[in-house]
PDB file of all heavy atoms in Angstrom:
ATOM      1  N   SER A 924     -64.308   3.063  18.414  1.00 67.00           N
ATOM      2  CA  SER A 924     -63.678   1.793  19.042  1.00 67.00           C
ATOM      3  C   SER A 924     -62.545   1.380  18.148  1.00 67.00           C
ATOM      4  O   SER A 924     -62.524   1.574  16.913  1.00 67.00           O
ATOM      5  CB  SER A 924     -64.752   0.663  18.984  1.00 67.00           C
ATOM      6  OG  SER A 924     -65.232   0.446  17.678  1.00 67.00           O
ATOM      7  N   HIS A 925     -61.496   0.769  18.746  1.00 73.00           N
ATOM      8  CA  HIS A 925     -60.330   0.332  17.988  1.00 73.00           C
ATOM      9  C   HIS A 925     -60.615  -0.932  17.164  1.00 73.00           C
ATOM     10  O   HIS A 925     -61.416  -1.725  17.512  1.00 73.00           O
ATOM     11  CB  HIS A 925     -59.153   0.087  18.947  1.00 73.00           C
ATOM     12  CG  HIS A 925     -58.757   1.358  19.721  1.00 73.00           C
ATOM     13  ND1 HIS A 925     -57.993   2.243  19.068  1.00 73.00           N
ATOM     14  CD2 HIS A 925     -59.058   1.694  20.927  1.00 73.00           C
ATOM     15  CE1 HIS A 925     -57.786   3.204  19.958  1.00 73.00           C
ATOM     16  NE2 HIS A 925     -58.386   2.967  21.101  1.00 73.00           N
ATOM     17  N   ARG A 926     -59.882  -1.086  16.096  1.00 77.00           N
ATOM     18  CA  ARG A 926     -59.988  -2.140  15.125  1.00 77.00           C
ATOM     19  C   ARG A 926     -59.379  -3.434  15.811  1.00 77.00           C
ATOM     20  O   ARG A 926     -58.440  -3.276  16.535  1.00 77.00           O
ATOM     21  CB  ARG A 926     -59.315  -1.903  13.881  1.00 77.00           C
ATOM     22  CG  ARG A 926     -59.932  -0.892  13.047  1.00 77.00           C
ATOM     23  CD  ARG A 926     -59.043  -0.540  11.805  1.00 77.00           C
ATOM     24  NE  ARG A 926     -58.801  -1.626  11.036  1.00 77.00           N
ATOM     25  CZ  ARG A 926     -58.057  -1.571   9.831  1.00 77.00           C
ATOM     26  NH1 ARG A 926     -57.529  -0.430   9.485  1.00 77.00           N
ATOM     27  NH2 ARG A 926     -57.932  -2.685   9.049  1.00 77.00           N
ATOM     28  N   ASN A 927     -59.961  -4.588  15.526  1.00 84.00           N
ATOM     29  CA  ASN A 927     -59.357  -5.809  16.021  1.00 84.00           C
ATOM     30  C   ASN A 927     -58.833  -6.606  14.782  1.00 84.00           C
ATOM     31  O   ASN A 927     -59.626  -7.309  14.193  1.00 84.00           O
ATOM     32  CB  ASN A 927     -60.332  -6.598  16.827  1.00 84.00           C
ATOM     33  CG  ASN A 927     -59.717  -7.809  17.427  1.00 84.00           C
ATOM     34  OD1 ASN A 927     -58.570  -8.079  17.230  1.00 84.00           O
ATOM     35  ND2 ASN A 927     -60.520  -8.568  18.199  1.00 84.00           N
ATOM     36  N   ILE A 928     -57.590  -6.432  14.442  1.00 83.00           N
ATOM     37  CA  ILE A 928     -57.041  -7.048  13.240  1.00 83.00           C
ATOM     38  C   ILE A 928     -57.158  -8.555  13.295  1.00 83.00           C
ATOM     39  O   ILE A 928     -57.388  -9.169  12.255  1.00 83.00           O
ATOM     40  CB  ILE A 928     -55.563  -6.608  13.075  1.00 83.00           C
ATOM     41  CG1 ILE A 928     -55.455  -5.107  12.963  1.00 83.00           C
ATOM     42  CG2 ILE A 928     -54.907  -7.287  11.907  1.00 83.00           C
ATOM     43  CD1 ILE A 928     -56.091  -4.504  11.735  1.00 83.00           C
ATOM     44  N   THR A 929     -57.118  -9.117  14.469  1.00 84.00           N
ATOM     45  CA  THR A 929     -57.197 -10.596  14.531  1.00 84.00           C
ATOM     46  C   THR A 929     -58.456 -11.244  14.004  1.00 84.00           C
ATOM     47  O   THR A 929     -58.439 -12.291  13.465  1.00 84.00           O
ATOM     48  CB  THR A 929     -56.867 -11.087  15.968  1.00 84.00           C
ATOM     49  OG1 THR A 929     -57.938 -10.553  16.832  1.00 84.00           O
ATOM     50  CG2 THR A 929     -55.581 -10.785  16.417  1.00 84.00           C
ATOM     51  N   THR A 930     -59.590 -10.362  14.114  1.00 86.00           N
ATOM     52  CA  THR A 930     -60.872 -10.858  13.627  1.00 86.00           C
ATOM     53  C   THR A 930     -61.224 -10.406  12.356  1.00 86.00           C
ATOM     54  O   THR A 930     -62.225 -10.856  11.746  1.00 86.00           O
ATOM     55  CB  THR A 930     -61.992 -10.485  14.649  1.00 86.00           C
ATOM     56  OG1 THR A 930     -62.007  -9.052  14.739  1.00 86.00           O
ATOM     57  CG2 THR A 930     -61.795 -10.992  16.085  1.00 86.00           C
ATOM     58  N   GLU A 931     -60.452  -9.436  11.779  1.00 88.00           N
ATOM     59  CA  GLU A 931     -60.884  -8.925  10.450  1.00 88.00           C
ATOM     60  C   GLU A 931     -60.352  -9.966   9.274  1.00 88.00           C
ATOM     61  O   GLU A 931     -59.467 -10.661   9.510  1.00 88.00           O
ATOM     62  CB  GLU A 931     -60.099  -7.654  10.164  1.00 88.00           C
ATOM     63  CG  GLU A 931     -60.666  -6.465  10.852  1.00 88.00           C
ATOM     64  CD  GLU A 931     -60.009  -5.196  10.446  1.00 88.00           C
ATOM     65  OE1 GLU A 931     -59.377  -5.036   9.328  1.00 88.00           O
ATOM     66  OE2 GLU A 931     -60.152  -4.172  11.242  1.00 88.00           O
ATOM     67  N   THR A 932     -61.221  -9.896   8.211  1.00 92.00           N
ATOM     68  CA  THR A 932     -60.848 -10.749   7.097  1.00 92.00           C
ATOM     69  C   THR A 932     -59.654 -10.145   6.387  1.00 92.00           C
ATOM     70  O   THR A 932     -59.510  -8.867   6.295  1.00 92.00           O
ATOM     71  CB  THR A 932     -62.070 -10.957   6.239  1.00 92.00           C
ATOM     72  OG1 THR A 932     -62.514  -9.731   5.728  1.00 92.00           O
ATOM     73  CG2 THR A 932     -63.179 -11.693   6.790  1.00 92.00           C
ATOM     74  N   VAL A 933     -58.916 -10.902   5.684  1.00 93.00           N
ATOM     75  CA  VAL A 933     -57.668 -10.393   4.975  1.00 93.00           C
ATOM     76  C   VAL A 933     -58.109  -9.884   3.629  1.00 93.00           C
ATOM     77  O   VAL A 933     -58.773 -10.454   2.872  1.00 93.00           O
ATOM     78  CB  VAL A 933     -56.690 -11.621   4.880  1.00 93.00           C
ATOM     79  CG1 VAL A 933     -55.469 -11.272   3.961  1.00 93.00           C
ATOM     80  CG2 VAL A 933     -56.266 -12.121   6.132  1.00 93.00           C
ATOM     81  N   ALA A 934     -57.553  -8.645   3.289  1.00 93.00           N
ATOM     82  CA  ALA A 934     -57.920  -8.038   2.141  1.00 93.00           C
ATOM     83  C   ALA A 934     -56.884  -8.495   1.021  1.00 93.00           C
ATOM     84  O   ALA A 934     -57.305  -8.707  -0.116  1.00 93.00           O
ATOM     85  CB  ALA A 934     -57.804  -6.532   2.177  1.00 93.00           C
ATOM     86  N   PHE A 935     -55.708  -8.727   1.448  1.00 94.00           N
ATOM     87  CA  PHE A 935     -54.680  -9.187   0.498  1.00 94.00           C
ATOM     88  C   PHE A 935     -53.779 -10.225   1.174  1.00 94.00           C
ATOM     89  O   PHE A 935     -53.514 -10.098   2.321  1.00 94.00           O
ATOM     90  CB  PHE A 935     -53.818  -8.046   0.056  1.00 94.00           C
ATOM     91  CG  PHE A 935     -54.549  -6.915  -0.642  1.00 94.00           C
ATOM     92  CD1 PHE A 935     -54.910  -5.891  -0.018  1.00 94.00           C
ATOM     93  CD2 PHE A 935     -54.879  -6.995  -2.090  1.00 94.00           C
ATOM     94  CE1 PHE A 935     -55.634  -4.782  -0.693  1.00 94.00           C
ATOM     95  CE2 PHE A 935     -55.648  -5.966  -2.633  1.00 94.00           C
ATOM     96  CZ  PHE A 935     -56.042  -4.923  -1.934  1.00 94.00           C
ATOM     97  N   SER A 936     -53.319 -11.174   0.289  1.00 95.00           N
ATOM     98  CA  SER A 936     -52.381 -12.254   0.826  1.00 95.00           C
ATOM     99  C   SER A 936     -51.305 -12.440  -0.163  1.00 95.00           C
ATOM    100  O   SER A 936     -51.684 -12.963  -1.308  1.00 95.00           O
ATOM    101  CB  SER A 936     -53.125 -13.500   1.115  1.00 95.00           C
ATOM    102  OG  SER A 936     -52.219 -14.486   1.693  1.00 95.00           O
ATOM    103  N   LEU A 937     -50.084 -12.077   0.145  1.00 95.00           N
ATOM    104  CA  LEU A 937     -48.917 -12.314  -0.806  1.00 95.00           C
ATOM    105  C   LEU A 937     -47.621 -12.310   0.009  1.00 95.00           C
ATOM    106  O   LEU A 937     -47.580 -11.884   1.173  1.00 95.00           O
ATOM    107  CB  LEU A 937     -48.916 -11.223  -1.846  1.00 95.00           C
ATOM    108  CG  LEU A 937     -48.873  -9.776  -1.536  1.00 95.00           C
ATOM    109  CD1 LEU A 937     -48.485  -8.948  -2.711  1.00 95.00           C
ATOM    110  CD2 LEU A 937     -50.101  -9.104  -0.924  1.00 95.00           C
ATOM    111  N   SER A 938     -46.627 -12.769  -0.633  1.00 95.00           N
ATOM    112  CA  SER A 938     -45.328 -12.878  -0.004  1.00 95.00           C
ATOM    113  C   SER A 938     -44.689 -11.527   0.240  1.00 95.00           C
ATOM    114  O   SER A 938     -45.076 -10.536  -0.424  1.00 95.00           O
ATOM    115  CB  SER A 938     -44.348 -13.716  -0.822  1.00 95.00           C
ATOM    116  OG  SER A 938     -43.871 -12.962  -1.927  1.00 95.00           O
ATOM    117  N   ALA A 939     -43.729 -11.388   1.180  1.00 95.00           N
ATOM    118  CA  ALA A 939     -43.121 -10.120   1.429  1.00 95.00           C
ATOM    119  C   ALA A 939     -42.348  -9.633   0.164  1.00 95.00           C
ATOM    120  O   ALA A 939     -42.334  -8.438  -0.159  1.00 95.00           O
ATOM    121  CB  ALA A 939     -42.085 -10.266   2.610  1.00 95.00           C
ATOM    122  N   ILE A 940     -41.693 -10.485  -0.573  1.00 94.00           N
ATOM    123  CA  ILE A 940     -41.024 -10.118  -1.819  1.00 94.00           C
ATOM    124  C   ILE A 940     -42.014  -9.620  -2.802  1.00 94.00           C
ATOM    125  O   ILE A 940     -41.759  -8.549  -3.509  1.00 94.00           O
ATOM    126  CB  ILE A 940     -40.188 -11.268  -2.308  1.00 94.00           C
ATOM    127  CG1 ILE A 940     -39.081 -11.599  -1.251  1.00 94.00           C
ATOM    128  CG2 ILE A 940     -39.619 -11.114  -3.655  1.00 94.00           C
ATOM    129  CD1 ILE A 940     -38.322 -12.836  -1.570  1.00 94.00           C
ATOM    130  N   GLN A 941     -43.140 -10.313  -3.054  1.00 94.00           N
ATOM    131  CA  GLN A 941     -44.127  -9.828  -4.020  1.00 94.00           C
ATOM    132  C   GLN A 941     -44.667  -8.429  -3.636  1.00 94.00           C
ATOM    133  O   GLN A 941     -44.832  -7.575  -4.476  1.00 94.00           O
ATOM    134  CB  GLN A 941     -45.275 -10.761  -4.146  1.00 94.00           C
ATOM    135  CG  GLN A 941     -45.066 -12.127  -4.802  1.00 94.00           C
ATOM    136  CD  GLN A 941     -46.188 -13.122  -4.497  1.00 94.00           C
ATOM    137  OE1 GLN A 941     -46.824 -13.176  -3.567  1.00 94.00           O
ATOM    138  NE2 GLN A 941     -46.400 -13.876  -5.545  1.00 94.00           N
ATOM    139  N   LEU A 942     -44.979  -8.277  -2.372  1.00 93.00           N
ATOM    140  CA  LEU A 942     -45.531  -6.963  -1.928  1.00 93.00           C
ATOM    141  C   LEU A 942     -44.469  -5.865  -2.156  1.00 93.00           C
ATOM    142  O   LEU A 942     -44.769  -4.877  -2.609  1.00 93.00           O
ATOM    143  CB  LEU A 942     -45.745  -7.108  -0.405  1.00 93.00           C
ATOM    144  CG  LEU A 942     -46.539  -5.959   0.306  1.00 93.00           C
ATOM    145  CD1 LEU A 942     -47.823  -5.749  -0.438  1.00 93.00           C
ATOM    146  CD2 LEU A 942     -46.671  -6.250   1.792  1.00 93.00           C
ATOM    147  N   HIS A 943     -43.217  -6.178  -1.880  1.00 92.00           N
ATOM    148  CA  HIS A 943     -42.154  -5.240  -2.105  1.00 92.00           C
ATOM    149  C   HIS A 943     -41.963  -4.856  -3.542  1.00 92.00           C
ATOM    150  O   HIS A 943     -41.788  -3.659  -3.914  1.00 92.00           O
ATOM    151  CB  HIS A 943     -40.853  -5.661  -1.463  1.00 92.00           C
ATOM    152  CG  HIS A 943     -39.739  -4.711  -1.560  1.00 92.00           C
ATOM    153  ND1 HIS A 943     -38.780  -4.691  -2.609  1.00 92.00           N
ATOM    154  CD2 HIS A 943     -39.348  -3.522  -0.625  1.00 92.00           C
ATOM    155  CE1 HIS A 943     -37.993  -3.655  -2.320  1.00 92.00           C
ATOM    156  NE2 HIS A 943     -38.353  -3.017  -1.207  1.00 92.00           N
ATOM    157  N   ARG A 944     -41.998  -5.869  -4.452  1.00 92.00           N
ATOM    158  CA  ARG A 944     -41.945  -5.658  -5.847  1.00 92.00           C
ATOM    159  C   ARG A 944     -43.023  -4.737  -6.341  1.00 92.00           C
ATOM    160  O   ARG A 944     -42.662  -3.890  -7.219  1.00 92.00           O
ATOM    161  CB  ARG A 944     -41.940  -7.045  -6.537  1.00 92.00           C
ATOM    162  CG  ARG A 944     -41.490  -7.028  -7.937  1.00 92.00           C
ATOM    163  CD  ARG A 944     -41.438  -8.387  -8.546  1.00 92.00           C
ATOM    164  NE  ARG A 944     -40.486  -9.224  -7.868  1.00 92.00           N
ATOM    165  CZ  ARG A 944     -40.715 -10.542  -7.519  1.00 92.00           C
ATOM    166  NH1 ARG A 944     -41.796 -11.096  -7.872  1.00 92.00           N
ATOM    167  NH2 ARG A 944     -39.801 -11.245  -6.841  1.00 92.00           N
ATOM    168  N   GLU A 945     -44.184  -4.919  -5.856  1.00 90.00           N
ATOM    169  CA  GLU A 945     -45.358  -4.028  -6.268  1.00 90.00           C
ATOM    170  C   GLU A 945     -45.020  -2.505  -5.893  1.00 90.00           C
ATOM    171  O   GLU A 945     -45.254  -1.702  -6.826  1.00 90.00           O
ATOM    172  CB  GLU A 945     -46.593  -4.381  -5.672  1.00 90.00           C
ATOM    173  CG  GLU A 945     -47.314  -5.628  -6.247  1.00 90.00           C
ATOM    174  CD  GLU A 945     -48.676  -5.816  -5.851  1.00 90.00           C
ATOM    175  OE1 GLU A 945     -49.411  -4.826  -5.495  1.00 90.00           O
ATOM    176  OE2 GLU A 945     -49.123  -7.011  -5.633  1.00 90.00           O
ATOM    177  N   PHE A 946     -44.433  -2.341  -4.816  1.00 89.00           N
ATOM    178  CA  PHE A 946     -44.113  -0.907  -4.374  1.00 89.00           C
ATOM    179  C   PHE A 946     -42.910  -0.399  -5.216  1.00 89.00           C
ATOM    180  O   PHE A 946     -42.835   0.783  -5.362  1.00 89.00           O
ATOM    181  CB  PHE A 946     -43.883  -0.951  -2.814  1.00 89.00           C
ATOM    182  CG  PHE A 946     -45.131  -0.793  -2.114  1.00 89.00           C
ATOM    183  CD1 PHE A 946     -45.821  -1.890  -1.727  1.00 89.00           C
ATOM    184  CD2 PHE A 946     -45.628   0.496  -1.889  1.00 89.00           C
ATOM    185  CE1 PHE A 946     -47.001  -1.878  -1.020  1.00 89.00           C
ATOM    186  CE2 PHE A 946     -46.873   0.586  -1.135  1.00 89.00           C
ATOM    187  CZ  PHE A 946     -47.547  -0.560  -0.769  1.00 89.00           C
ATOM    188  N   MET A 947     -42.020  -1.135  -5.550  1.00 88.00           N
ATOM    189  CA  MET A 947     -40.854  -0.738  -6.383  1.00 88.00           C
ATOM    190  C   MET A 947     -41.339  -0.293  -7.783  1.00 88.00           C
ATOM    191  O   MET A 947     -40.810   0.566  -8.315  1.00 88.00           O
ATOM    192  CB  MET A 947     -39.826  -1.741  -6.471  1.00 88.00           C
ATOM    193  CG  MET A 947     -39.152  -2.083  -5.111  1.00 88.00           C
ATOM    194  SD  MET A 947     -38.686  -0.652  -4.105  1.00 88.00           S
ATOM    195  CE  MET A 947     -37.332  -0.029  -5.159  1.00 88.00           C
ATOM    196  N   ASN A 948     -42.392  -0.960  -8.306  1.00 87.00           N
ATOM    197  CA  ASN A 948     -42.948  -0.601  -9.643  1.00 87.00           C
ATOM    198  C   ASN A 948     -43.745   0.721  -9.522  1.00 87.00           C
ATOM    199  O   ASN A 948     -43.624   1.549 -10.502  1.00 87.00           O
ATOM    200  CB  ASN A 948     -43.803  -1.761 -10.166  1.00 87.00           C
ATOM    201  CG  ASN A 948     -43.004  -2.905 -10.536  1.00 87.00           C
ATOM    202  OD1 ASN A 948     -41.870  -2.881 -10.785  1.00 87.00           O
ATOM    203  ND2 ASN A 948     -43.562  -4.105 -10.491  1.00 87.00           N
ATOM    204  N   ASP A 949     -44.627   0.814  -8.550  1.00 87.00           N
ATOM    205  CA  ASP A 949     -45.447   2.071  -8.471  1.00 87.00           C
ATOM    206  C   ASP A 949     -45.897   2.254  -6.999  1.00 87.00           C
ATOM    207  O   ASP A 949     -46.903   1.776  -6.615  1.00 87.00           O
ATOM    208  CB  ASP A 949     -46.727   1.928  -9.390  1.00 87.00           C
ATOM    209  CG  ASP A 949     -47.424   3.167  -9.453  1.00 87.00           C
ATOM    210  OD1 ASP A 949     -47.087   4.196  -8.895  1.00 87.00           O
ATOM    211  OD2 ASP A 949     -48.516   3.107 -10.112  1.00 87.00           O
TER     212      ASP A 949
END
């Protein structure tokens, strides 16, 4: 069965800039 993202709990919550910064580091 397919996932329903709308009902799933959020694993991480952060700004787009913070998320991008993490990826630029590692």
Side-chain angles (χ1 to χ4, degrees):
S924 60
H925 295 285
R926 291 171 62 179
N927 187 356
I928 298 297
T929 58
T930 60
E931 286 187 20
T932 57
V933 175
F935 300 99
S936 181
L937 60 167
S938 75
I940 293 172
Q941 290 170 322
L942 188 60
H943 187 265
R944 195 174 299 137
E945 282 192 35
F946 277 86
M947 295 311 294
N948 291 335
D949 188 3

